[in-house]
């Protein structure tokens, strides 16, 4: 199975050519050199933007550890990568320190206290289209600033204000737009204009072009206040007042009390075993860790017990497992502070084996025939991930988001940053799909102060007490399957990390009953065979953007930045 999987892929010469092209240092006309693959003997930073990567490396060079670098990168991304980098959003950070202790920081947004189950339904009980996606009502209480503060308080080595200084400078002096950034801002221009009352730095009279300078003066001042006064400035001070004023202006429901009450939480990381290694990932309120471990446990059952055959059969098997895991996600996963997530059962080997019954290796099980498992007694893709390893071996895997591109599109007047539209990650009506097509039920229903279910899957794989792989991805519902695929490709099929990151990706999430594959990246014969087995195959835009680090037995470190974006790797 392993050999044929690799062989099939190797024949996709076009992909190799594309990938070779991506390894070049800079693309003509782009304002910054972008390094897709970096090698080092000790430390590495891989992020969605070359300037953020550079800042992470600078912090390491100044004696900061991986958490210092992560905090600086998070604030830098809020400036250089406004489509997903943020202070108005949230995320998850997984840390493995030099003693091997792991911790998981949940800085996910929360529903405002005035939110309620049917917030996005009209008087007839129908979903009001777009209400949970765009504008002031779609905003959850942001968690990113408190998250960075708590990470720094526990692990930081360098002073807080030094970590924000590079972001302040970039916001005030301006950054040059890459071609992808210019195109993305132009694509959202009308919505951003409609949602915001006054002028915002993200739109100008004429469309953006590659190399144009984006200056964010108000954001620079906001970041300076946070640098000077810490997290309280954002949740209790001038920034909080500006944020609430913006919410009220646009008919939102965020209050000063919501901000004052926000706390990021340290949670127990989820740890499982796969292929003889330890896989550490994020617990609820992300579904990522549970789903990833379910997938890996199920996969191992097949790899040990069966010869699953060719590449097509591998994709088929992955798809069948994904259907079942996403059905469980929809029913059982939600914020553990509000619902009992039956984690032990979901990760129980016998439960997982039972879930595999009915899988056939020659034909699909339609999603309509699959329900969540029976547990007695008893829910844009524009996110961004960065991976950091410092010279002492501390590993940080962080996924952070505004939810969709530029979140709610609301820019806080006077403070200069985008607010998330994370409320759409709740199940706004039982069984009605959200933006990502994910459905959910009571476990992920809106409740005041509750965290919406996420798919973010920051993950660290440990082999013989040493980090082996630091990985994660944006992509909404597709995050879990992207991380799953990278783990299979590297750990099981033995691919070099950069090649694994460049490979075409597949995704199935139970509902809709569709196997998504990246446009034009998979050989027509493979698609034909999958269709013949009964899969409804749909080609779509890129799936995931993986920024990952691989550490060899001999300690050499490879950073792999996804060729699908401006992502950049740099060693130290
Ligand atoms: N907003 C995407 C996620 O959290 O899964």
């Amino acid at each position: 199975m392993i050999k044929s999987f690799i062989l099939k892929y190797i024949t996709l010469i076009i992909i190799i050519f594309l990938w070779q092209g991506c390894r070049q240092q800079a693309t003509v006309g782009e304002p910054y050199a972008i390094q897709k693959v970096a090698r080092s003997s000790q430390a590495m930073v891989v992020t969605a933007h070359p300037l953020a990567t550079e800042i992470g490396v600078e912090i390491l060079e100044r004696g900061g550890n991986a958490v210092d670098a992560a905090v600086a990168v998070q604030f830098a991304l809020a400036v250089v990568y406004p489509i997903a980098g943020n202070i108005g959003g949230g995320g998850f950070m997984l840390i493995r320190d030099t003693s091997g202790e792991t911790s998981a920081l949940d800085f996910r947004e929360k529903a405002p206290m005035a939110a309620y189950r049917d917030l996005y339904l009209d008087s007839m009980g129908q979903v009001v289209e777009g209400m949970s996606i765009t504008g002031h009502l779609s905003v959850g209480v942001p968690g990113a600033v408190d998250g960075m503060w708590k990470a720094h308080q526990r692990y930081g080595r360098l002073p807080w204000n030094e970590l924000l200084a590079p972001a302040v400078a970039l916001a005030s002096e301006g950054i040059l737009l890459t071609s992808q950034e210019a195109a993305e801002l132009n694509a959202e221009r009308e919505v951003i204009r409609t949602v915001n009352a006054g002028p915002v730095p993200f739109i100008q009279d004429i469309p953006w072009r590659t190399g144009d300078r984006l200056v964010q003066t108000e954001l620079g001042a906001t970041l300076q206040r946070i640098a000077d006064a810490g997290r309280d400035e954002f949740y209790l001070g001038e920034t909080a007042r500006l944020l609430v004023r913006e919410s009220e202006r646009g008919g939102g429901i965020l209050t000063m009390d919501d901000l004052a009450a926000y706390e990021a939480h340290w949670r127990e990381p989820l740890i499982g075993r796969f292929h003889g290694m330890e896989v550490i990932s994020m617990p609820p309120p992300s579904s990522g860790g549970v789903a990833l471990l379910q997938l890996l446990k199920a996969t191992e059952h097949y790899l040990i017990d069966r010869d699953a055959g060719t590449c097509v059969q591998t994709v088929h098997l992955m798809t069948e497992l994904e259907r079942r895991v996403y059905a469980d996600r929809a029913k059982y996963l939600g914020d553990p502070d509000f619902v009992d997530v039956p984690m032990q059962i979901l990760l129980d080997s016998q439960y997982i084996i039972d879930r595999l019954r009915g899988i056939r290796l020659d034909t699909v099980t339609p999603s309509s025939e699959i329900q969540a498992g029976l547990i007695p007694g008893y829910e844009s893709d524009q996110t961004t991930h960065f991976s950091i390893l410092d010279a002492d071996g501390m590993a940080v895997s962080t996924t952070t988001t505004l939810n969709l591109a530029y979140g709610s599109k609301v820019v806080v007047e006077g403070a200069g940053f985008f607010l998330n539209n994370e409320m759409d990650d709740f199940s706004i009506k039982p069984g009605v799909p959200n933006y990502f097509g994910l459905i959910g039920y009571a476990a992920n229903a809106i409740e005041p102060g509750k965290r919406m279910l996420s798919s973010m899957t920051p993950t660290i794989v440990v082999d013989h007490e040493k980090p082996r792989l630091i990985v994660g991805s944006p992509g909404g519902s597709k995050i879990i399957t992207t991380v799953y695929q990278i783990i299979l490709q590297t750990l099981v099929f033995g691919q070099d990390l950069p090649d694994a990151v460049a490979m075409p990706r597949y995704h199935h999430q139970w509902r809709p009953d569709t196997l998504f594959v990246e446009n034009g990246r998979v050989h027509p014969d493979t698609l034909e065979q999958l269709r013949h087995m009964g899969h409804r195959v749909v080609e779509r835009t890129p799936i995931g953007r993986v920024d990952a680090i691989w550490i060899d037995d001999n300690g050499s470190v490879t950073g792999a930045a996804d060729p699908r974006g401006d992502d950049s790797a740099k060693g130290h």
Side-chain angles (χ1 to χ4, degrees):
M1 172 183 177
I2 297 171
K3 274 192 193 141
S4 59
F5 185 91
I6 296 168
L7 278 173
K8 274 271 180 182
Y9 276 129
I10 290 173
T11 58
L12 299 176
I13 292 166
I14 187 166
I15 294 159
I16 308 289
F17 279 152
L18 277 175
W19 177 229
Q20 292 302 335
C22 292
R23 284 177 193 256
Q24 304 306 315
Q25 292 285 303
T27 313
V28 179
E30 292 291 343
Y32 307 109
I34 291 176
Q35 196 172 349
K36 289 298 173 191
V37 183
R39 313 261 181 204
S40 157
S41 59
Q42 36 184 8
M44 184 68 64
V45 179
V46 194
T47 83
H49 195 284
L51 291 179
T53 297
E54 197 66 49
I55 286 167
V57 170
E58 272 170 35
I59 295 294
L60 296 178
E61 283 170 354
R62 293 220 302 264
N65 62 23
V67 170
D68 289 316
V71 171
V73 164
Q74 171 81 25
F75 285 110
L77 286 170
V79 178
V80 302
Y81 192 63
I83 193 167
N86 66 82
I87 56 172
F92 299 102
M93 181 183 285
L94 196 63
I95 302 160
R96 184 176 186 276
D97 70 17
T98 49
S99 72
E101 284 295 308
T102 52
S103 36
L105 180 58
D106 161 8
F107 54 101
R108 182 71 162 164
E109 301 91 327
K110 295 172 84 161
M113 293 312 286
Y116 53 95
R117 196 193 60 181
D118 296 343
L119 177 62
Y120 302 108
L121 306 188
D122 63 17
S123 57
M124 306 294 285
Q126 299 302 315
V127 172
V128 182
E129 208 183 318
M131 203 188 202
S132 65
I133 291 180
T134 307
H136 298 71
L137 265 179
S138 66
V139 180
V141 185
V145 174
D146 193 48
M148 293 309 104
W149 180 260
K150 287 206 163 60
H152 181 257
Q153 292 276 305
R154 186 180 274 196
Y155 291 101
R157 213 188 260 166
L158 297 183
W160 169 256
N161 58 358
E162 274 188 37
L163 304 181
L164 277 89
V168 172
L170 285 173
S172 315
E173 290 158 18
I175 55 154
L176 305 180
L177 295 176
T178 66
S179 57
Q180 193 165 82
E181 283 183 309
E184 286 162 349
L185 279 168
N186 291 337
E188 300 294 346
R189 172 195 170 97
E190 283 319 310
V191 192
I192 295 173
R193 194 195 296 280
T194 307
V195 166
N196 293 286
V200 294
F202 307 101
I203 42 180
Q204 56 175 13
D205 290 341
I206 53 168
W208 294 102
R209 289 164 312 179
T210 308
D212 280 355
R213 184 174 290 273
L214 172 66
V215 179
Q216 300 171 72
T217 311
E218 288 179 346
L219 177 58
T222 301
L223 290 169
Q224 187 61 62
R225 290 194 301 274
I226 298 169
D228 294 340
R231 56 85 65 203
D232 282 357
E233 201 290 321
F234 187 92
Y235 293 96
L236 303 168
E238 175 67 4
T239 306
R241 280 187 288 280
L242 291 168
L243 204 161
V244 171
R245 191 183 69 177
E246 177 62 46
S247 178
E248 285 167 353
R249 183 193 70 70
I253 52 174
L254 271 171
T255 64
M256 289 299 281
D257 285 347
D258 284 319
L259 290 167
Y262 186 86
E263 292 282 347
H265 279 317
W266 290 102
R267 302 203 185 264
E268 208 47 53
L270 276 186
I271 303 182
R273 290 201 72 76
F274 177 68
H275 220 62
M277 298 183 200
E278 204 171 56
V279 179
I280 306 164
S281 197
M282 199 67 210
S286 182
S287 61
V290 178
L292 178 67
L293 292 186
Q294 282 190 306
L295 286 168
L296 292 175
K297 275 190 172 211
T299 306
E300 198 145 60
H301 180 75
Y302 278 89
L303 291 174
I304 290 167
D305 290 343
R306 289 168 193 251
D307 173 9
T310 65
C311 161
V312 168
Q313 282 174 317
T314 305
V315 176
H316 170 72
L317 176 63
M318 289 166 68
T319 303
E320 291 301 305
L321 302 183
E322 288 166 5
R323 281 178 210 278
R324 287 154 176 85
V325 164
Y326 276 79
D328 277 358
R329 179 197 190 277
K331 179 158 181 189
Y332 293 118
L333 295 186
D335 182 349
D337 295 345
F338 283 74
V339 292
D340 271 338
V341 180
M343 214 117 80
Q344 268 192 325
I345 299 180
L346 289 172
L347 294 174
D348 178 76
S349 300
Q350 189 56 49
Y351 171 81
I352 288 171
I353 289 168
D354 289 347
R355 295 287 285 142
L356 304 180
R357 283 191 222 295
I359 289 184
R360 285 185 51 189
L361 294 179
D362 57 346
T363 186
V364 301
T365 320
S367 289
S368 57
E369 291 173 17
I370 292 173
Q371 302 302 324
L374 274 178
I375 297 186
Y378 195 98
E379 133 232 49
S380 130
D381 297 69
Q382 292 307 341
T383 293
T384 186
H385 177 83
F386 54 90
S387 296
I388 300 178
L389 177 76
D390 71 21
D392 296 325
M394 182 185 241
V396 175
S397 183
T398 302
T399 314
T400 180
T401 188
L402 289 166
N403 195 22
L404 305 185
Y406 312 104
S408 62
K409 317 287 191 284
V410 175
V411 179
V412 177
E413 195 174 15
F417 61 91
F418 281 111
L419 289 169
N420 67 82
N421 61 345
E422 220 69 67
M423 292 296 283
D424 190 59
D425 272 348
F426 278 117
S427 168
I428 57 175
K429 183 178 177 182
V432 172
N434 73 355
Y435 175 85
F436 295 110
L438 289 166
I439 62 171
Y441 299 97
N444 190 33
I446 303 172
E447 293 182 59
K450 187 177 180 183
R451 285 168 156 89
M452 54 297 286
L453 186 61
S454 171
S455 299
M456 290 187 272
T457 315
T459 297
I460 299 171
V461 176
V462 175
D463 189 12
H464 292 94
E465 303 299 320
K466 293 214 167 92
R468 167 73 73 202
L469 174 67
I470 308 170
V471 62
S473 176
S477 57
K478 300 173 293 303
I479 295 173
I480 300 164
T481 48
T482 296
V483 173
Y484 172 48
Q485 198 177 326
I486 294 288
I487 290 180
L488 290 194
Q489 286 174 330
T490 52
L491 265 53
V492 179
F493 303 122
Q495 280 181 321
D496 195 31
L497 181 66
D499 292 336
V501 167
M503 280 296 174
R505 300 201 181 108
Y506 302 84
H507 170 77
H508 198 294
Q509 59 181 50
W510 177 50
R511 306 261 188 208
D513 192 346
T514 302
L515 172 57
F516 295 100
V517 300
E518 289 183 304
N519 250 338
R521 307 261 343 249
V522 177
H523 198 283
D525 289 351
T526 305
L527 299 183
E528 187 44 46
Q529 287 176 61
L530 287 165
R531 287 191 174 111
H532 186 73
M533 292 174 97
H535 292 282
R536 185 173 164 263
V537 180
V538 170
E539 292 189 86
R540 51 151 294 142
T541 49
I543 295 175
R545 263 172 75 168
V546 173
D547 288 333
I549 298 173
W550 177 267
I551 304 99
D552 270 339
D553 279 337
N554 63 11
S556 71
V557 183
T558 300
D562 203 309
R564 293 162 182 80
D566 298 325
D567 307 57
S568 179
K570 188 168 178 185
H572 158 55

